Amino acid sequence: MNFGLSLGKLYVVGVGPGHHDHMTFRARKVIEESQIIIGYETYVSLVEDLIGGKEVYRYPMTQEVDRANQAIEFAEKGNIVSLVSSGDPGIYGMVGLIYEILAEKGWKRNQGIEVECVPGVSSLNSCSALIGSPLMTDFAVVSMSDLLVPWEVIVKRVEAAALGDFVTVVYNPSSKKRIHQLQDARDIFLKYRSPNTPVAIVKGAFRESQTIVVTDLEKMLDFPDLMGMITTVIIGNTSSFNYNNMMINPRGYRSKYQLVK
């Protein structure tokens, strides 16, 4: 490693859902360019075949602050560093924490280390691609994790999404310690939508563990074994419909055009 005074570069890299076919060319390029790879151990394993011969630092879950600080420190010492994340690092990812820490340190964009966020395919993209066309109109994204956001705030956001008739993407639907949140959210949606509203549950999109269920709002809690941190739930709006086990959200063309000619 370079411990001189020259400043290095920090890439915050989104590697997508996990399969290399869905990783951007830029993501592969910066990982290859980097001397040091840092990340949550599960995410690092997604790029195992790309990091041979590099210094690799693997962290367990919940040590985000530690890995962010280590990535910054290595870059400040002149190294080229990739902090890897699944999905997109700008959507519930690590780049926000990186910028928060840099702001507290008084980092200046034109004088300090160079930081680049390398976007990736998020769960909302990968999961929607697998189950039809659920995000054709306005949609909302809500995480059920109340580790960093008070549950009272999440409830207000869920209520707003349900009232506004947004198709709603639910990240982090449940965990071993979080059981009631998804049930509470479902109850809120049932105040505004039919029990027959289409719901898609996608676990491990584009990974070997991939499992997909298209169900409805009434039955969405009937699949507890599918719920977890690598599961995304997409709840349709009042226009969404199930066709051949796919969720379709009309864009509105039918009201202006003859679709079949």
Side-chain angles (χ1 to χ4, degrees), residues 148-212:
L148 301 175
V149 179
W151 177 242
E152 295 77 16
V153 174
I154 296 173
V155 167
K156 290 180 181 179
R157 293 172 179 173
V158 171
E159 185 90 30
L163 177 62
D165 199 29
F166 288 95
V167 175
T168 304
V169 181
V170 180
Y171 279 48
N172 305 318
S174 66
S175 68
K176 292 180 180 179
K177 295 182 179 180
R178 287 187 294 102
I179 305 299
H180 74 88
Q181 285 86 344
L182 187 62
Q183 180 173 342
D184 291 353
R186 196 278 300 261
D187 291 343
I188 292 171
F189 276 99
L190 281 172
K191 289 164 54 179
Y192 302 95
R193 300 188 197 171
S194 163
N196 296 324
T197 301
V199 171
I201 303 169
V202 183
K203 178 180 179 181
F206 293 102
R207 302 183 188 180
E208 291 184 2
S209 61
Q210 176 179 298
T211 307
I212 301 170

Side-chain angles (χ1 to χ4, degrees), residues 81-151:
V81 183
S82 275
L83 177 60
V84 298
S85 175
S86 68
D88 184 301
I91 301 177
Y92 301 111
M94 289 293 293
V95 75
L97 178 57
I98 290 292
Y99 284 130
E100 286 186 64
I101 293 172
L102 288 173
E104 287 200 13
K105 291 165 68 78
W107 168 78
K108 297 185 185 304
R109 192 166 192 172
N110 296 325
Q111 299 176 11
I113 61 170
E114 186 176 354
V115 180
E116 180 183 336
C117 177
V118 181
V121 177
S122 182
S123 291
L124 65 90
N125 302 110
S126 58
C127 294
S128 63
L130 289 168
I131 54 100
S133 55
L135 306 182
M136 288 295 102
T137 54
D138 297 338
F139 63 90
V141 185
V142 183
S143 171
M144 291 293 101
S145 175
D146 56 358
L147 180 63
L148 301 175
V149 179
W151 177 242

Side-chain angles (χ1 to χ4, degrees), residues 9-11 34-38 71 74-75 79-83:
K9 183 163 186 176
L10 173 57
Y11 295 111
S34 298
Q35 301 156 295
I36 299 173
I37 307 295
I38 298 174
F74 278 140
N79 298 286
I80 302 175
V81 183
S82 275
L83 177 60

